[in-house]
Amino acid sequence: MIRLKRGEMAENVEELIAQYRDLLVQRSMEFARPSVANKLFDRNHAIHKILRESDEGRRAISGLMNDDVDAVRLTAAVHTLQWDPVAAEHVLEDIEAGPGIVGFNAKWTLREYRDGKLDLDW
């Protein structure tokens, strides 16, 4: 896991959020290769856990709920459920109304969240 010292977050949030987004874009193209997609997901989750520790990091993740790539919007919204559930649910509902695997994932994420079964602390 990536560790940053106090004071390093401000200069590294841009780099971390770029990595976070890039991993999600790569993952969206690797659904046919689950082992690759899972590794990308794990790397993204590790970065998420760092970013969520600061207001700046949380704002950066939340900002990706407006991304052009639905797979990025989806994961950013899932992570944003932890600190801004109203905004995140609206994004997930919007994605859920769309086609394909991303819409399907948004649907089931909302169900798990609303049933109290969504765990993002692993």
Side-chain angles (χ1 to χ4, degrees):
M1 182 171 168
I2 304 166
R3 285 276 186 222
L4 299 174
K5 296 177 186 172
R6 182 181 286 267
E8 285 187 310
M9 183 58 83
E11 65 189 51
N12 286 299
V13 167
E14 286 183 29
E15 180 183 327
L16 288 171
I17 202 68
Q19 290 176 31
Y20 175 101
R21 185 187 183 282
D22 289 345
L23 289 164
L24 293 172
V25 170
Q26 289 175 41
R27 181 174 179 253
S28 72
M29 295 183 279
E30 293 292 352
F31 278 105
R33 298 186 327 163
S35 63
V36 173
N38 289 341
K39 287 177 186 175
L40 294 167
F41 178 83
D42 290 344
R43 289 173 52 201
N44 171 268
H45 191 72
I47 292 171
H48 152 252
K49 289 169 68 174
I50 294 167
L51 287 168
R52 74 181 183 184
E53 294 300 317
S54 72
D55 289 339
E56 186 179 2
R58 288 188 295 273
R59 281 192 302 273
I61 291 173
S62 295
L64 290 178
M65 291 192 302
N66 297 314
D67 198 88
D68 293 337
V69 177
D70 281 343
V72 174
R73 291 178 62 222
L74 171 70
T75 302
V78 171
H79 290 154
T80 299
L81 283 168
Q82 296 174 303
W83 54 83
D84 191 355
V86 173
E89 281 189 79
H90 287 300
V91 172
L92 289 168
E93 289 165 350
D94 181 56
I95 295 168
E96 176 186 23
I101 190 72
V102 178
F104 176 82
N105 286 340
K107 173 183 177 176
W108 285 99
T109 298
L110 281 167
R111 284 189 183 185
E112 290 292 305
Y113 174 72
R114 290 171 176 160
D115 288 345
K117 297 178 184 176
L118 186 65
D119 179 14
L120 298 172
D121 290 326
W122 52 272

